[in-house]
Amino acid sequence: MAMNKNTVLAWATTIMIIVGLALIALGAFRYDDVAGWGFAAVGVGFFAVAWVFNALKGRV
């Protein structure tokens, strides 16, 4: 399976979106105290990095 730069960035974006959703879900449904806010904030950070990876496709 040949993977070029764009394919690697697409997979990284997909994986980071899944992890971000999982972290936000943990923060929303599992932890009811201050830790939930931390999990949700890190999940949003994963979305931001995934957005950057998506923007880099075709440019590197």
Side-chain angles (χ1 to χ4, degrees):
M1 180 167 122
M3 291 181 63
N4 57 11
K5 296 177 286 191
N6 290 331
T7 308
V8 170
L9 285 172
W11 276 106
T13 301
T14 305
I15 291 169
M16 292 199 75
I17 287 174
I18 291 169
V19 171
L21 285 172
L23 285 170
I24 291 172
L26 275 173
F29 300 118
R30 175 66 173 95
Y31 296 104
D32 293 332
D33 52 353
V34 178
W37 289 98
F39 274 97
V42 172
V44 171
F46 267 79
F47 279 158
V49 176
W51 182 23
V52 170
F53 282 168
N54 193 27
L56 285 174
K57 283 193 303 192
R59 300 189 195 284
V60 292

Short mmCIF file of all heavy atoms in Angstrom, two decimals:
data_model
loop_
_atom_site.label_atom_id
_atom_site.label_comp_id
_atom_site.label_asym_id
_atom_site.label_seq_id
_atom_site.Cartn_x
_atom_site.Cartn_y
_atom_site.Cartn_z
N MET A 1 0.84 -1.17 0.00
CA MET A 1 0.00 0.00 0.00
C MET A 1 0.89 1.23 0.00
O MET A 1 1.62 1.50 0.95
CB MET A 1 -0.88 -0.04 1.25
CG MET A 1 -1.80 1.13 1.37
SD MET A 1 -3.03 0.80 2.64
CE MET A 1 -2.74 2.15 3.70
N ALA A 2 0.84 1.98 -1.06
CA ALA A 2 1.66 3.17 -1.18
C ALA A 2 0.97 4.35 -0.50
O ALA A 2 -0.17 4.68 -0.81
CB ALA A 2 1.92 3.49 -2.65
N MET A 3 1.70 4.93 0.44
CA MET A 3 1.14 6.09 1.15
C MET A 3 2.05 7.29 0.89
O MET A 3 3.22 7.26 1.23
CB MET A 3 1.05 5.82 2.66
CG MET A 3 0.01 4.78 3.01
SD MET A 3 -0.13 4.48 4.76
CE MET A 3 -0.66 6.05 5.37
N ASN A 4 1.47 8.30 0.30
CA ASN A 4 2.24 9.52 0.10
C ASN A 4 1.97 10.49 1.25
O ASN A 4 1.29 10.16 2.22
CB ASN A 4 1.92 10.15 -1.26
CG ASN A 4 0.45 10.45 -1.42
OD1 ASN A 4 -0.30 10.39 -0.46
ND2 ASN A 4 0.06 10.80 -2.64
N LYS A 5 2.49 11.70 1.14
CA LYS A 5 2.35 12.68 2.23
C LYS A 5 0.90 13.03 2.50
O LYS A 5 0.49 13.16 3.66
CB LYS A 5 3.13 13.95 1.88
CG LYS A 5 4.63 13.74 1.77
CD LYS A 5 5.31 15.02 1.34
CE LYS A 5 5.05 15.25 -0.13
NZ LYS A 5 5.87 16.30 -0.72
N ASN A 6 0.12 13.17 1.46
CA ASN A 6 -1.29 13.56 1.65
C ASN A 6 -2.09 12.45 2.32
O ASN A 6 -2.98 12.72 3.12
CB ASN A 6 -1.92 13.93 0.30
CG ASN A 6 -1.36 15.22 -0.23
OD1 ASN A 6 -0.95 16.09 0.52
ND2 ASN A 6 -1.32 15.33 -1.55
N THR A 7 -1.79 11.20 1.99
CA THR A 7 -2.49 10.09 2.61
C THR A 7 -2.15 10.00 4.10
O THR A 7 -3.04 9.76 4.93
CB THR A 7 -2.12 8.76 1.92
OG1 THR A 7 -2.33 8.91 0.51
CG2 THR A 7 -2.96 7.62 2.42
N VAL A 8 -0.89 10.21 4.43
CA VAL A 8 -0.48 10.18 5.84
C VAL A 8 -1.18 11.30 6.61
O VAL A 8 -1.68 11.10 7.73
CB VAL A 8 1.05 10.30 5.96
CG1 VAL A 8 1.46 10.51 7.40
CG2 VAL A 8 1.71 9.06 5.39
N LEU A 9 -1.25 12.50 6.04
CA LEU A 9 -1.93 13.61 6.71
C LEU A 9 -3.43 13.35 6.84
O LEU A 9 -4.04 13.72 7.84
CB LEU A 9 -1.67 14.91 5.95
CG LEU A 9 -0.28 15.51 6.15
CD1 LEU A 9 -0.07 16.68 5.20
CD2 LEU A 9 -0.07 15.94 7.57
N ALA A 10 -4.03 12.71 5.85
CA ALA A 10 -5.45 12.39 5.94
C ALA A 10 -5.71 11.39 7.06
O ALA A 10 -6.68 11.55 7.82
CB ALA A 10 -5.94 11.83 4.60
N TRP A 11 -4.87 10.36 7.18
CA TRP A 11 -5.03 9.40 8.27
C TRP A 11 -4.80 10.06 9.62
O TRP A 11 -5.53 9.79 10.58
CB TRP A 11 -4.08 8.21 8.08
CG TRP A 11 -4.64 7.17 7.18
CD1 TRP A 11 -4.25 6.91 5.89
CD2 TRP A 11 -5.69 6.26 7.46
NE1 TRP A 11 -5.00 5.90 5.37
CE2 TRP A 11 -5.89 5.48 6.33
CE3 TRP A 11 -6.48 6.03 8.57
CZ2 TRP A 11 -6.86 4.48 6.26
CZ3 TRP A 11 -7.44 5.05 8.52
CH2 TRP A 11 -7.62 4.27 7.37
N ALA A 12 -3.79 10.91 9.71
CA ALA A 12 -3.52 11.60 10.97
C ALA A 12 -4.70 12.49 11.35
O ALA A 12 -5.08 12.55 12.53
CB ALA A 12 -2.24 12.42 10.85
N THR A 13 -5.28 13.17 10.38
CA THR A 13 -6.45 14.02 10.66
C THR A 13 -7.62 13.18 11.16
O THR A 13 -8.28 13.54 12.14
CB THR A 13 -6.85 14.78 9.38
OG1 THR A 13 -5.75 15.57 8.95
CG2 THR A 13 -8.05 15.67 9.63
N THR A 14 -7.87 12.06 10.52
CA THR A 14 -8.98 11.18 10.91
C THR A 14 -8.79 10.64 12.33
O THR A 14 -9.72 10.65 13.14
CB THR A 14 -9.12 10.02 9.91
OG1 THR A 14 -9.27 10.56 8.59
CG2 THR A 14 -10.31 9.15 10.25
N ILE A 15 -7.58 10.18 12.62
CA ILE A 15 -7.30 9.63 13.94
C ILE A 15 -7.42 10.71 15.01
O ILE A 15 -7.98 10.47 16.09
CB ILE A 15 -5.91 8.97 13.96
CG1 ILE A 15 -5.93 7.70 13.10
CG2 ILE A 15 -5.46 8.65 15.38
CD1 ILE A 15 -4.57 7.12 12.82
N MET A 16 -6.94 11.91 14.72
CA MET A 16 -7.01 12.98 15.71
C MET A 16 -8.45 13.43 15.95
O MET A 16 -8.81 13.79 17.08
CB MET A 16 -6.14 14.15 15.29
CG MET A 16 -4.67 13.79 15.35
SD MET A 16 -3.61 15.19 15.41
CE MET A 16 -3.84 15.71 17.07
N ILE A 17 -9.30 13.39 14.92
CA ILE A 17 -10.72 13.73 15.12
C ILE A 17 -11.38 12.68 16.01
O ILE A 17 -12.16 13.01 16.91
CB ILE A 17 -11.43 13.86 13.76
CG1 ILE A 17 -10.99 15.16 13.08
CG2 ILE A 17 -12.94 13.83 13.92
CD1 ILE A 17 -11.51 15.32 11.68
N ILE A 18 -11.07 11.41 15.78
CA ILE A 18 -11.65 10.34 16.60
C ILE A 18 -11.20 10.48 18.05
O ILE A 18 -12.03 10.38 18.99
CB ILE A 18 -11.28 8.96 16.03
CG1 ILE A 18 -11.99 8.75 14.69
CG2 ILE A 18 -11.61 7.84 17.00
CD1 ILE A 18 -11.51 7.55 13.91
N VAL A 19 -9.91 10.73 18.28
CA VAL A 19 -9.41 10.89 19.64
C VAL A 19 -10.01 12.14 20.29
O VAL A 19 -10.38 12.12 21.47
CB VAL A 19 -7.87 10.93 19.65
CG1 VAL A 19 -7.34 11.30 21.02
CG2 VAL A 19 -7.30 9.60 19.21
N GLY A 20 -10.15 13.23 19.52
CA GLY A 20 -10.76 14.44 20.05
C GLY A 20 -12.20 14.22 20.46
O GLY A 20 -12.62 14.68 21.53
N LEU A 21 -12.95 13.50 19.64
CA LEU A 21 -14.34 13.19 20.01
C LEU A 21 -14.40 12.31 21.25
O LEU A 21 -15.27 12.51 22.12
CB LEU A 21 -15.04 12.49 18.84
CG LEU A 21 -15.45 13.37 17.67
CD1 LEU A 21 -15.97 12.51 16.51
CD2 LEU A 21 -16.48 14.37 18.10
N ALA A 22 -13.48 11.35 21.36
CA ALA A 22 -13.46 10.49 22.54
C ALA A 22 -13.14 11.29 23.79
O ALA A 22 -13.75 11.08 24.85
CB ALA A 22 -12.44 9.37 22.34
N LEU A 23 -12.20 12.22 23.71
CA LEU A 23 -11.85 13.03 24.88
C LEU A 23 -13.01 13.95 25.28
O LEU A 23 -13.28 14.12 26.47
CB LEU A 23 -10.60 13.85 24.58
CG LEU A 23 -9.29 13.06 24.60
CD1 LEU A 23 -8.16 13.91 24.06
CD2 LEU A 23 -8.98 12.58 25.99
N ILE A 24 -13.67 14.53 24.30
CA ILE A 24 -14.82 15.39 24.62
C ILE A 24 -15.94 14.55 25.24
O ILE A 24 -16.60 14.98 26.19
CB ILE A 24 -15.29 16.14 23.37
CG1 ILE A 24 -14.23 17.19 22.98
CG2 ILE A 24 -16.63 16.81 23.59
CD1 ILE A 24 -14.49 17.87 21.67
N ALA A 25 -16.15 13.35 24.72
CA ALA A 25 -17.18 12.47 25.29
C ALA A 25 -16.81 12.07 26.72
O ALA A 25 -17.69 12.02 27.59
CB ALA A 25 -17.35 11.23 24.42
N LEU A 26 -15.54 11.79 26.97
CA LEU A 26 -15.12 11.48 28.34
C LEU A 26 -15.39 12.67 29.26
O LEU A 26 -15.88 12.50 30.38
CB LEU A 26 -13.63 11.14 28.37
CG LEU A 26 -13.22 9.71 28.08
CD1 LEU A 26 -11.71 9.61 28.00
CD2 LEU A 26 -13.75 8.79 29.15
N GLY A 27 -15.05 13.85 28.81
CA GLY A 27 -15.27 15.03 29.63
C GLY A 27 -16.74 15.31 29.87
O GLY A 27 -17.12 15.80 30.94
N ALA A 28 -17.58 14.99 28.90
CA ALA A 28 -19.01 15.29 29.04
C ALA A 28 -19.76 14.23 29.83
O ALA A 28 -20.66 14.56 30.60
CB ALA A 28 -19.63 15.44 27.65
N PHE A 29 -19.41 12.97 29.65
CA PHE A 29 -20.23 11.89 30.20
C PHE A 29 -19.59 11.13 31.35
O PHE A 29 -20.30 10.56 32.17
CB PHE A 29 -20.61 10.89 29.10
CG PHE A 29 -21.39 11.52 27.99
CD1 PHE A 29 -20.88 11.55 26.70
CD2 PHE A 29 -22.62 12.10 28.23
CE1 PHE A 29 -21.60 12.13 25.67
CE2 PHE A 29 -23.35 12.67 27.20
CZ PHE A 29 -22.83 12.70 25.91
N ARG A 30 -18.27 11.11 31.43
CA ARG A 30 -17.62 10.28 32.45
C ARG A 30 -17.26 11.09 33.69
O ARG A 30 -17.46 10.65 34.81
CB ARG A 30 -16.37 9.62 31.86
CG ARG A 30 -15.53 8.82 32.81
CD ARG A 30 -16.27 7.59 33.32
NE ARG A 30 -15.39 6.75 34.09
CZ ARG A 30 -15.32 6.80 35.42
NH1 ARG A 30 -16.05 7.65 36.10
NH2 ARG A 30 -14.52 6.00 36.08
N TYR A 31 -16.68 12.26 33.49
CA TYR A 31 -16.18 13.05 34.61
C TYR A 31 -17.08 14.26 34.83
O TYR A 31 -17.28 15.07 33.93
CB TYR A 31 -14.75 13.51 34.35
CG TYR A 31 -13.78 12.35 34.24
CD1 TYR A 31 -13.30 11.93 33.01
CD2 TYR A 31 -13.37 11.68 35.37
CE1 TYR A 31 -12.43 10.86 32.90
CE2 TYR A 31 -12.50 10.61 35.29
CZ TYR A 31 -12.03 10.20 34.05
OH TYR A 31 -11.18 9.14 33.96
N ASP A 32 -17.60 14.38 36.03
CA ASP A 32 -18.52 15.47 36.34
C ASP A 32 -17.85 16.62 37.08
O ASP A 32 -18.48 17.64 37.32
CB ASP A 32 -19.68 14.95 37.20
CG ASP A 32 -20.56 13.98 36.43
OD1 ASP A 32 -20.63 14.11 35.20
OD2 ASP A 32 -21.16 13.11 37.07
N ASP A 33 -16.58 16.46 37.43
CA ASP A 33 -15.91 17.52 38.18
C ASP A 33 -15.03 18.35 37.23
O ASP A 33 -15.27 18.39 36.02
CB ASP A 33 -15.10 16.93 39.32
CG ASP A 33 -14.16 15.82 38.87
OD1 ASP A 33 -14.25 15.45 37.70
OD2 ASP A 33 -13.35 15.35 39.68
N VAL A 34 -14.03 18.98 37.78
CA VAL A 34 -13.18 19.87 37.00
C VAL A 34 -12.39 19.11 35.93
O VAL A 34 -12.07 19.66 34.88
CB VAL A 34 -12.23 20.65 37.95
CG1 VAL A 34 -11.31 21.56 37.18
CG2 VAL A 34 -13.04 21.44 38.94
N ALA A 35 -12.11 17.84 36.18
CA ALA A 35 -11.35 17.04 35.21
C ALA A 35 -12.09 16.95 33.88
O ALA A 35 -11.46 16.85 32.82
CB ALA A 35 -11.09 15.65 35.76
N GLY A 36 -13.41 16.97 33.90
CA GLY A 36 -14.18 16.92 32.66
C GLY A 36 -13.90 18.11 31.77
O GLY A 36 -13.83 17.97 30.55
N TRP A 37 -13.75 19.29 32.38
CA TRP A 37 -13.40 20.47 31.59
C TRP A 37 -12.03 20.31 30.95
O TRP A 37 -11.81 20.74 29.81
CB TRP A 37 -13.43 21.72 32.47
CG TRP A 37 -14.82 22.11 32.85
CD1 TRP A 37 -15.45 21.82 34.02
CD2 TRP A 37 -15.75 22.82 32.05
NE1 TRP A 37 -16.73 22.32 34.00
CE2 TRP A 37 -16.94 22.94 32.80
CE3 TRP A 37 -15.70 23.37 30.77
CZ2 TRP A 37 -18.05 23.59 32.31
CZ3 TRP A 37 -16.83 24.01 30.29
CH2 TRP A 37 -17.98 24.12 31.06
N GLY A 38 -11.11 19.70 31.66
CA GLY A 38 -9.77 19.47 31.10
C GLY A 38 -9.80 18.52 29.93
O GLY A 38 -9.15 18.75 28.90
N PHE A 39 -10.54 17.43 30.08
CA PHE A 39 -10.67 16.48 28.97
C PHE A 39 -11.29 17.15 27.75
O PHE A 39 -10.83 16.95 26.61
CB PHE A 39 -11.51 15.28 29.38
CG PHE A 39 -10.74 14.19 30.05
CD1 PHE A 39 -10.70 14.10 31.43
CD2 PHE A 39 -10.05 13.25 29.32
CE1 PHE A 39 -9.99 13.11 32.07
CE2 PHE A 39 -9.34 12.24 29.92
CZ PHE A 39 -9.31 12.17 31.31
N ALA A 40 -12.32 17.94 27.96
CA ALA A 40 -12.97 18.61 26.84
C ALA A 40 -12.04 19.63 26.18
O ALA A 40 -12.01 19.75 24.95
CB ALA A 40 -14.25 19.29 27.32
N ALA A 41 -11.25 20.33 26.98
CA ALA A 41 -10.31 21.32 26.43
C ALA A 41 -9.23 20.64 25.59
O ALA A 41 -8.87 21.12 24.51
CB ALA A 41 -9.68 22.13 27.55
N VAL A 42 -8.74 19.51 26.06
CA VAL A 42 -7.74 18.78 25.28
C VAL A 42 -8.36 18.23 24.00
O VAL A 42 -7.72 18.21 22.94
CB VAL A 42 -7.11 17.66 26.14
CG1 VAL A 42 -6.22 16.76 25.31
CG2 VAL A 42 -6.32 18.27 27.28
N GLY A 43 -9.62 17.80 24.07
CA GLY A 43 -10.31 17.33 22.86
C GLY A 43 -10.44 18.43 21.83
O GLY A 43 -10.25 18.20 20.63
N VAL A 44 -10.74 19.65 22.27
CA VAL A 44 -10.82 20.78 21.34
C VAL A 44 -9.43 21.06 20.76
O VAL A 44 -9.29 21.40 19.58
CB VAL A 44 -11.41 22.02 22.05
CG1 VAL A 44 -11.30 23.25 21.18
CG2 VAL A 44 -12.85 21.75 22.42
N GLY A 45 -8.39 20.90 21.56
CA GLY A 45 -7.03 21.07 21.05
C GLY A 45 -6.69 20.04 19.98
O GLY A 45 -6.02 20.37 18.99
N PHE A 46 -7.17 18.82 20.16
CA PHE A 46 -6.97 17.81 19.12
C PHE A 46 -7.66 18.22 17.83
O PHE A 46 -7.14 17.99 16.74
CB PHE A 46 -7.49 16.45 19.60
CG PHE A 46 -6.44 15.59 20.25
CD1 PHE A 46 -6.06 15.83 21.56
CD2 PHE A 46 -5.83 14.56 19.56
CE1 PHE A 46 -5.10 15.04 22.16
CE2 PHE A 46 -4.88 13.77 20.15
CZ PHE A 46 -4.51 14.01 21.46
N PHE A 47 -8.86 18.80 17.94
CA PHE A 47 -9.54 19.30 16.75
C PHE A 47 -8.73 20.39 16.05
O PHE A 47 -8.66 20.43 14.82
CB PHE A 47 -10.91 19.87 17.10
CG PHE A 47 -11.98 18.83 17.25
CD1 PHE A 47 -13.12 19.12 17.98
CD2 PHE A 47 -11.87 17.58 16.68
CE1 PHE A 47 -14.12 18.18 18.12
CE2 PHE A 47 -12.85 16.63 16.82
CZ PHE A 47 -13.97 16.93 17.55
N ALA A 48 -8.10 21.27 16.83
CA ALA A 48 -7.30 22.35 16.24
C ALA A 48 -6.10 21.79 15.48
O ALA A 48 -5.80 22.23 14.36
CB ALA A 48 -6.84 23.31 17.33
N VAL A 49 -5.43 20.80 16.06
CA VAL A 49 -4.28 20.20 15.38
C VAL A 49 -4.74 19.42 14.15
O VAL A 49 -4.07 19.45 13.10
CB VAL A 49 -3.49 19.32 16.35
CG1 VAL A 49 -2.36 18.60 15.65
CG2 VAL A 49 -2.93 20.15 17.50
N ALA A 50 -5.88 18.75 14.23
CA ALA A 50 -6.41 18.04 13.06
C ALA A 50 -6.74 19.02 11.94
O ALA A 50 -6.55 18.73 10.76
CB ALA A 50 -7.65 17.24 13.45
N TRP A 51 -7.24 20.20 12.31
CA TRP A 51 -7.54 21.22 11.32
C TRP A 51 -6.26 21.68 10.61
O TRP A 51 -6.23 21.85 9.39
CB TRP A 51 -8.23 22.39 12.00
CG TRP A 51 -8.66 23.51 11.11
CD1 TRP A 51 -8.92 23.47 9.78
CD2 TRP A 51 -8.89 24.87 11.50
NE1 TRP A 51 -9.30 24.70 9.33
CE2 TRP A 51 -9.29 25.58 10.37
CE3 TRP A 51 -8.80 25.53 12.72
CZ2 TRP A 51 -9.58 26.93 10.42
CZ3 TRP A 51 -9.11 26.87 12.77
CH2 TRP A 51 -9.49 27.56 11.62
N VAL A 52 -5.19 21.83 11.37
CA VAL A 52 -3.90 22.22 10.78
C VAL A 52 -3.41 21.12 9.85
O VAL A 52 -2.93 21.41 8.73
CB VAL A 52 -2.87 22.51 11.88
CG1 VAL A 52 -1.48 22.66 11.30
CG2 VAL A 52 -3.27 23.75 12.66
N PHE A 53 -3.50 19.86 10.27
CA PHE A 53 -3.08 18.76 9.39
C PHE A 53 -3.88 18.76 8.10
O PHE A 53 -3.34 18.53 7.01
CB PHE A 53 -3.24 17.41 10.09
CG PHE A 53 -2.16 17.09 11.07
CD1 PHE A 53 -2.30 16.03 11.94
CD2 PHE A 53 -1.00 17.84 11.14
CE1 PHE A 53 -1.31 15.73 12.85
CE2 PHE A 53 -0.01 17.54 12.04
CZ PHE A 53 -0.17 16.48 12.89
N ASN A 54 -5.19 19.01 8.20
CA ASN A 54 -6.03 19.05 7.01
C ASN A 54 -5.63 20.20 6.10
O ASN A 54 -5.64 20.07 4.88
CB ASN A 54 -7.49 19.16 7.42
CG ASN A 54 -8.43 18.90 6.29
OD1 ASN A 54 -8.07 18.18 5.35
ND2 ASN A 54 -9.61 19.46 6.35
N ALA A 55 -5.25 21.33 6.68
CA ALA A 55 -4.85 22.48 5.88
C ALA A 55 -3.52 22.24 5.20
O ALA A 55 -3.23 22.84 4.15
CB ALA A 55 -4.77 23.73 6.76
N LEU A 56 -2.68 21.38 5.75
CA LEU A 56 -1.36 21.12 5.18
C LEU A 56 -1.41 20.17 3.99
O LEU A 56 -0.43 20.07 3.26
CB LEU A 56 -0.42 20.56 6.24
CG LEU A 56 0.11 21.54 7.25
CD1 LEU A 56 0.91 20.80 8.32
CD2 LEU A 56 0.96 22.60 6.59
N LYS A 57 -2.52 19.45 3.82
CA LYS A 57 -2.59 18.51 2.71
C LYS A 57 -2.42 19.26 1.39
O LYS A 57 -3.07 20.26 1.13
CB LYS A 57 -3.93 17.77 2.70
CG LYS A 57 -3.99 16.70 3.74
CD LYS A 57 -5.17 15.75 3.55
CE LYS A 57 -6.48 16.48 3.54
NZ LYS A 57 -7.63 15.62 3.63
N GLY A 58 -1.53 18.76 0.55
CA GLY A 58 -1.28 19.36 -0.74
C GLY A 58 -0.26 20.48 -0.71
O GLY A 58 0.13 21.00 -1.75
N ARG A 59 0.20 20.89 0.47
CA ARG A 59 1.16 21.99 0.58
C ARG A 59 2.55 21.55 0.96
O ARG A 59 3.49 22.30 0.79
CB ARG A 59 0.66 23.02 1.60
CG ARG A 59 -0.68 23.61 1.25
CD ARG A 59 -1.01 24.77 2.16
NE ARG A 59 -2.40 25.16 2.13
CZ ARG A 59 -2.96 25.85 1.17
NH1 ARG A 59 -2.27 26.18 0.10
NH2 ARG A 59 -4.23 26.20 1.22
N VAL A 60 2.70 20.38 1.52
CA VAL A 60 4.03 19.93 1.93
C VAL A 60 4.55 18.89 0.98
O VAL A 60 3.83 18.28 0.24
CB VAL A 60 4.03 19.36 3.38
CG1 VAL A 60 3.79 20.46 4.37
CG2 VAL A 60 3.03 18.25 3.54
#
